[in-house]
Amino acid sequence: MCCGTFWLADDFLALDDSLDEDTIDAAMEQAEECHDANVGFNWEFLHHVIEAVKEKEQ
């Protein structure tokens, strides 16, 4: 048995349509590295990760 959630590039683009492939990849990697099972992967968490990655890129 397995339980999981899948988030795709389109999900990240739904939150910020200005993202390029490299930024999406970085955000996905960041999300995986700082995932907290008590919070889970949700829209708010993904938005926070995207903003953190965009700040690093500046």
Side-chain angles (χ1 to χ4, degrees):
M1 184 177 284
C2 180
C3 182
T5 302
F6 294 94
W7 292 88
L8 306 172
D10 286 345
D11 297 314
F12 286 78
L13 289 170
L15 290 171
D16 185 339
D17 64 2
S18 72
L19 301 175
D20 61 22
E21 188 175 330
D22 290 338
T23 305
I24 293 169
D25 288 346
M28 286 182 171
E29 187 175 320
Q30 179 74 17
E32 185 176 350
E33 288 175 3
C34 65
H35 173 251
D36 180 342
N38 290 312
V39 175
F41 289 104
N42 58 50
W43 293 110
E44 184 177 341
F45 173 71
L46 295 183
H47 178 73
H48 172 75
V49 169
I50 288 168
E51 293 304 312
V53 167
K54 287 172 65 174
E55 280 184 29
K56 285 182 184 178
E57 290 180 344
Q58 292 180 3

